[in-house]
C-alpha cells in the first residue's frame, strides 16, 4: 500500500553509484535493442519489397490481368492491412521501379541485395531517382551504410557529384605512401571541392576565403568528407630558422595523420606546389558561388518592395 505523498521512489538507491552505473548501462542496452529492432524490421520489409517487385514484374509480363493490376493490388492489400502504408499504388510502382533498376541489365549479386536492404526505403528511392547506373547507385548505398548518412546528407552528396569527384585529385601518393595508405589517401580527396555554402564577391583574397570556410566549418567538414577533424587555422610551424603559418590544419581519423590545407586563389603552379616531391601532396580545385555585383544589386527590388507588391497582389486576389 502506497501512502499519500509516497511516490514509491527509493532515494537512497538513486544515490547509489553502483546502481546508477548499472542503470546507465541498462538504458544503453535498451536503446541498442530498439535500434537493432528498427534495422531488423527495415531489412525484413525491404527483403519483402524486393521479392514483391520481382513478382510484380513477372506477373505484368506473363499474366493477362490488364493495366489496372497495380491499382487493384493496392486496394486489396490496403484493405487487408490498413495499418501498413506501403501498399499505395504509388509505392507499389516504386517497388517495381526499384527492382527493375537493379535487374534491368543482369540480376545483381546477393551481396548487393543484402546491402540494399540495409538502407532505409526513402534513401533507396532517392538513390535510384538520382542515379543513372547501378555502379553509381551502389556507391551511394555503400557510403550510406558506412557513414550512416541521413537522407538529406545523401541527397546533398549525390547532387554535388561526390561519385564523380572522389579520388580525382592530382597527387603523388603512390610514390610517397605505402600501398594501403596511398589508396585510402587518394579516396579521401576530391576534385573539385564545391563550396556552394559560401557567397563571396569575385575580389576576395585567400585570408577571406579561409575565414569564411572556418565560419561555415560544419558545411566545410561535410564537403571534406568523413574522418576529418578540424584543429585550427594560421598555426605557426617552425622549420629550422624559418617560421611558416599553416592555413588550415586537420587530423584524419582513418589515415591517422595530420592534413595541412593551403588555400590558393591563383592558378595551380606545379613548380611551387611540388617543389618537395618526396612529401605526400594532393592538389584540387574548388568552386563557389559569387554574390551579385553592386551595380546589379541596385537595379533589383529590395525585400521590402517585394513584400509590399506581394501584399498588394494578395489584396487584389481577395
Amino acid at each position: 500500500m502506497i501512502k499519500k505523498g509516497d511516490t514509491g521512489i527509493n532515494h537512497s538507491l538513486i544515490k547509489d553509484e553502483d546502481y546508477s552505473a548499472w542503470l546507465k548501462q541498462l538504458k544503453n542496452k535498451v536503446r541498442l535493442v530498439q535500434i537493432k529492432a528498427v534495422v531488423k524490421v527495415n531489412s525484413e520489409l525491404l527483403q519483402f519489397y524486393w521479392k514483391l517487385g520481382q513478382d510484380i514484374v513477372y506477373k505484368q509480363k506473363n499474366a493477362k490481368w490488364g493495366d489496372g493490376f497495380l491499382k487493384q493490388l493496392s486496394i486489396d492489400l490496403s484493405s487487408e492491412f490498413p495499418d501498413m502504408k506501403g501498399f499505395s499504388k504509388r509505392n507499389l510502382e516504386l517497388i517495381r521501379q526499384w527492382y527493375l533498376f537493379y535487374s534491368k541489365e543482369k540480376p545483381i549479386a546477393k551481396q548487393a541485395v543484402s546491402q540494399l536492404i540495409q538502407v532505409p526505403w526513402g534513401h533507396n528511392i532517392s538513390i535510384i531517382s538520382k542515379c543513372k547506373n547501378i555502379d553509381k547507385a551502389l556507391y551511394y548505398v555503400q557510403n550510406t551504410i558506412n557513414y550512416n548518412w541521413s537522407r538529406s546528407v545523401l541527397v546533398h552528396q549525390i547532387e554535388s557529384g561526390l561519385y564523380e569527384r572522389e579520388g580525382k585529385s592530382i597527387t603523388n601518393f603512390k610514390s610517397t605512401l605505402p600501398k594501403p595508405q596511398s589508396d585510402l589517401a587518394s579516396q579521401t580527396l576530391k576534385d573539385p571541392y564545391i563550396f556552394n555554402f559560401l557567397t563571396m564577391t569575385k575580389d576576395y583574397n585567400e585570408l577571406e576565403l579561409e575565414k569564411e570556410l572556418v565560419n561555415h566549418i560544419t558545411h566545410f567538414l561535410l564537403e571534406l568528407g568523413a574522418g576529418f577533424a578540424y584543429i585550427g587555422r594560421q598555426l605557426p610551424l617552425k622549420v629550422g630558422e624559418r617560421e611558416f603559418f599553416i592555413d588550415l590544419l586537420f587530423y584524419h581519423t582513418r589515415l591517422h595523420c595530420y592534413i595541412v590545407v593551403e588555400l590558393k586563389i591563383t592558378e595551380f603552379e606545379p613548380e611551387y606546389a611540388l617543389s618537395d616531391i618526396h612529401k605526400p601532396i594532393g592538389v584540387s580545385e574548388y568552386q563557389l558561388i559569387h554574390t551579385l555585383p553592386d551595380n546589379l544589386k541596385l537595379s533589383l527590388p529590395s525585400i521590402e518592395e517585394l513584400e509590399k507588391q506581394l501584399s498588394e497582389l494578395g489584396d487584389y486576389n481577395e
Side-chain angles (χ1 to χ4, degrees), residues 182-194:
S182 65
D183 290 343
L184 179 57
S186 295
Q187 293 173 1
T188 298
L189 301 185
K190 308 170 187 175
D191 187 36
Y193 286 91
I194 309 297

Side-chain angles (χ1 to χ4, degrees), residues 108-125:
I108 62 173
K110 289 184 178 179
Q111 181 182 1
V113 177
S114 68
Q115 291 178 345
L116 297 181
I117 64 176
Q118 294 179 54
V119 175
W121 180 235
H123 287 58
N124 270 292
I125 296 306

Side-chain angles (χ1 to χ4, degrees), residues 25-288:
Q25 293 177 357
L26 189 59
K27 288 178 179 178
N28 288 335
K29 288 180 179 179
V30 171
R31 292 189 184 98
L32 184 60
V33 168
Q34 289 176 326
I35 293 172
K36 286 184 176 180
V38 170
V39 172
K40 180 67 175 176
V41 169
N42 178 76
S43 297
E44 292 289 339
L45 179 63
L46 265 65
Q47 199 163 21
F48 168 74
Y49 278 0
W50 183 260
K51 185 63 172 65
L52 178 58
Q54 186 179 43
D55 287 347
I56 289 173
V57 170
Y58 178 83
K59 297 297 184 185
Q60 286 188 321
K61 182 178 180 180
N62 296 283
K64 297 179 180 179
W65 291 343
D67 296 334
F69 162 53
L70 282 185
K71 182 177 181 180
Q72 186 58 48
L73 181 64
S74 171
I75 293 171
D76 292 336
L77 290 176
S78 298
S79 176
E80 183 67 23
F81 306 102
D83 295 332
M84 293 186 68
K85 298 180 180 180
F87 294 138
S88 67
K89 182 175 180 289
R90 176 56 182 156
N91 203 59
L92 292 179
E93 291 171 343
L94 289 173
I95 291 171
R96 176 182 179 275
Q97 180 184 346
W98 181 53
Y99 173 79
L100 279 176
F101 179 86
Y102 290 105
S103 58
K104 58 187 174 185
E105 297 176 2
K106 59 181 180 179
I108 62 173
K110 289 184 178 179
Q111 181 182 1
V113 177
S114 68
Q115 291 178 345
L116 297 181
I117 64 176
Q118 294 179 54
V119 175
W121 180 235
H123 287 58
N124 270 292
I125 296 306
S126 294
I127 290 171
I128 66 170
S129 66
K130 294 180 178 294
C131 295
K132 295 289 179 74
N133 61 73
I134 294 176
D135 289 339
K136 182 176 179 179
L138 290 178
Y139 166 86
Y140 287 111
V141 168
Q142 186 60 59
N143 276 272
T144 298
I145 296 170
N146 290 343
Y147 305 120
N148 195 30
W149 285 342
S150 66
R151 198 191 310 185
S152 59
V153 170
L154 166 66
V155 170
H156 167 77
Q157 300 290 22
I158 297 174
E159 292 181 346
S160 68
L162 178 61
Y163 176 74
E164 292 79 10
R165 296 186 291 125
E166 188 177 81
K168 300 301 189 294
S169 298
I170 301 171
T171 74
N172 63 356
F173 295 157
K174 288 186 178 180
S175 60
T176 57
L177 294 172
K179 179 63 175 173
Q181 193 177 25
S182 65
D183 290 343
L184 179 57
S186 295
Q187 293 173 1
T188 298
L189 301 185
K190 308 170 187 175
D191 187 36
Y193 286 91
I194 309 297
F195 298 153
N196 57 4
F197 49 89
L198 303 181
T199 53
M200 304 179 69
T201 57
K202 288 187 177 182
D203 57 347
Y204 66 91
N205 58 39
E206 290 165 3
L207 186 59
E208 290 172 332
L209 174 61
E210 177 186 310
K211 287 181 179 179
E212 281 299 296
L213 289 173
V214 173
N215 289 338
H216 297 80
I217 192 63
T218 301
H219 291 92
F220 187 26
L221 287 172
L222 176 61
E223 175 59 13
L224 288 177
F228 282 87
Y230 174 63
I231 303 298
R233 59 182 287 263
Q234 290 299 313
L235 298 176
L237 178 65
K238 195 167 185 179
V239 181
E241 297 299 320
R242 301 180 63 188
E243 188 175 50
F244 301 88
F245 287 88
I246 296 172
D247 285 355
L248 298 167
L249 181 64
F250 296 86
Y251 184 79
H252 199 278
T253 57
R254 296 179 66 196
L255 289 170
H256 304 292
C257 67
Y258 289 100
I259 295 180
V260 175
V261 175
E262 184 176 0
L263 298 170
K264 293 294 176 186
I265 62 173
T266 56
E267 293 292 328
F268 170 54
E269 299 176 1
E271 65 277 10
Y272 167 78
L274 303 178
S275 58
D276 188 353
I277 199 67
H278 301 294
K279 290 184 174 62
I281 297 175
V283 180
S284 297
E285 293 184 347
Y286 66 87
Q287 296 177 0
L288 47 75

